[in-house]
Amino acid sequence: MAGPTTTTERGEPGTRRPVGARPKGAKRTGPSPARPSRLPGPRAVLLIVAALLVLASGVWLFYGSAWLRIEEVTTSGTRVLTPAEVRAAAAVPVGAPLVSVDTDDIEDRLRRALPRIDSVDVVRSWPHGVALHVVERTPVLLLEKGGKFTEVDANGVRFATVDAAKAPKGVPLLELTVAQSPSLRRFGADRLTAAAVGVAGDLPGPVAGDTKVLKVRSYDSITLELTGGRTVVWGSGEEGEAKARALTALMKAAPKAGHFDVSAPTAPAASRS
């Protein structure tokens, strides 16, 4: 015989809830009933189609159409090189889609083909151009061999060999006379050349302009031959800034001297010969 209905089973006064029904406000613990999938409406379909058309038009515009194709290649920054040389080495594919040009590949190709180029920047110039901005290396020393002159930049890079007629003016000649020196075996010609390059970079402006020859006999014996028959004993490539200051002061104090020694910058000396 069933017992009396409890308050819990009845729920709120005046109502009757079937036994086992979920109380009002209780969370559902079982899986949610599956909802039927809805197809996109006409408006959504139109938006998708429009987006695809825009995408296809863009691809065609950049790659398939006669517009936005390379028609002109310009150069800037050349000094010794000619624009025609740069354009020929760059081999920019005229007529190709501008968006497809590989700027990194062109930059690498220019540096390999023209060692005189220190840096290069290839820029797309919309709608039809490619611009080549180059920076050429600046020689600080010249190496002479067999009537040819090799240009050396501030990093010690030997980047071009020219004949006497094309050798840059005002650049000192580097003489390495170290064939019998122990320094050659210890340091090597490249390191001695790098030391000479460092000295050339440390020279005061007026002295650098007057320097005709920079001689390296050993790591500790670097001398300068200046205009007017003057000479400077520089010593090693170390303490370059201190030696430059000492030489500047010495030349002001003894303007008629013909021989200067700053190998010990704390005790510089000058004499007439």
Side-chain angles (χ1 to χ4, degrees), residues 132 186 203 219:
L132 309 174
R186 180 179 178 185
L203 295 177
Y219 183 79

Side-chain angles (χ1 to χ4, degrees), residues 174-178 192 196 214-219 221-222:
L174 171 61
E175 291 185 1
L176 289 172
T177 57
V178 295
L192 293 175
L214 194 153
K215 291 185 177 181
V216 180
R217 294 185 177 89
S218 70
Y219 183 79
S221 180
I222 299 175

Side-chain angles (χ1 to χ4, degrees), residues 12-268:
E12 296 297 330
T15 64
R16 183 177 180 84
R17 176 173 56 84
V19 177
R22 182 161 56 92
K24 184 179 180 181
K27 294 183 178 179
R28 182 186 299 274
T29 57
S32 301
R35 295 181 179 179
S37 59
R38 296 180 59 187
L39 295 176
R43 184 177 181 182
V45 172
L46 288 176
L47 290 175
I48 293 172
V49 171
L52 291 175
L53 288 175
V54 170
L55 178 61
S57 299
V59 171
W60 176 83
L61 176 64
F62 283 105
Y63 290 95
S65 73
W67 302 343
L68 305 181
R69 290 181 175 268
I70 301 172
E71 297 178 1
E72 182 182 23
V73 180
T74 60
T75 63
S76 63
T78 55
R79 299 196 313 271
V80 178
L81 296 171
T82 66
E85 286 177 305
V86 175
R87 287 194 298 269
V92 177
V94 175
L98 184 57
V99 71
S100 68
V101 66
D102 190 336
T103 57
D104 291 338
D105 184 59
I106 294 174
E107 291 174 5
D108 291 341
R109 187 157 57 243
L110 279 169
R111 281 191 287 263
R112 288 194 305 268
L114 301 173
R116 186 177 291 277
I117 292 178
D118 186 22
S119 64
V120 58
D121 191 19
V122 179
V123 180
R124 295 181 183 89
S125 182
W126 300 95
H128 302 297
V130 172
L132 309 174
H133 305 289
V134 303
V135 176
E136 295 186 15
R137 298 182 188 274
T138 300
V140 297
L141 291 173
L142 295 174
L143 284 168
E144 190 272 334
K145 184 177 182 180
K148 299 288 185 177
F149 294 85
T150 299
E151 300 178 57
V152 184
D153 73 358
N155 294 317
V157 177
R158 305 180 186 191
F159 60 89
T161 299
V162 297
D163 56 29
K166 294 184 179 181
K169 307 301 182 183
V171 179
L173 181 65
L174 171 61
E175 291 185 1
L176 289 172
T177 57
V178 295
Q180 304 301 322
S181 172
S183 291
L184 182 61
R185 294 190 298 271
R186 180 179 178 185
F187 299 103
D190 288 342
R191 185 168 176 185
L192 293 175
T193 300
V197 168
V199 171
D202 289 332
L203 295 177
V207 176
D210 290 343
T211 302
K212 298 170 59 179
V213 181
L214 194 153
K215 291 185 177 181
V216 180
R217 294 185 177 89
S218 70
Y219 183 79
D220 296 317
S221 180
I222 299 175
T223 60
L224 313 175
E225 291 184 2
L226 310 182
T227 57
R230 297 170 295 165
T231 59
V232 177
V233 176
W234 192 268
S236 71
E238 300 174 0
E239 300 182 275
E241 292 184 2
K243 292 176 180 180
R245 290 193 298 268
L247 181 58
T248 300
L250 202 59
M251 286 182 163
K252 288 182 178 180
K256 295 184 179 181
H259 181 75
F260 305 90
D261 188 338
V262 293
S263 56
T266 56

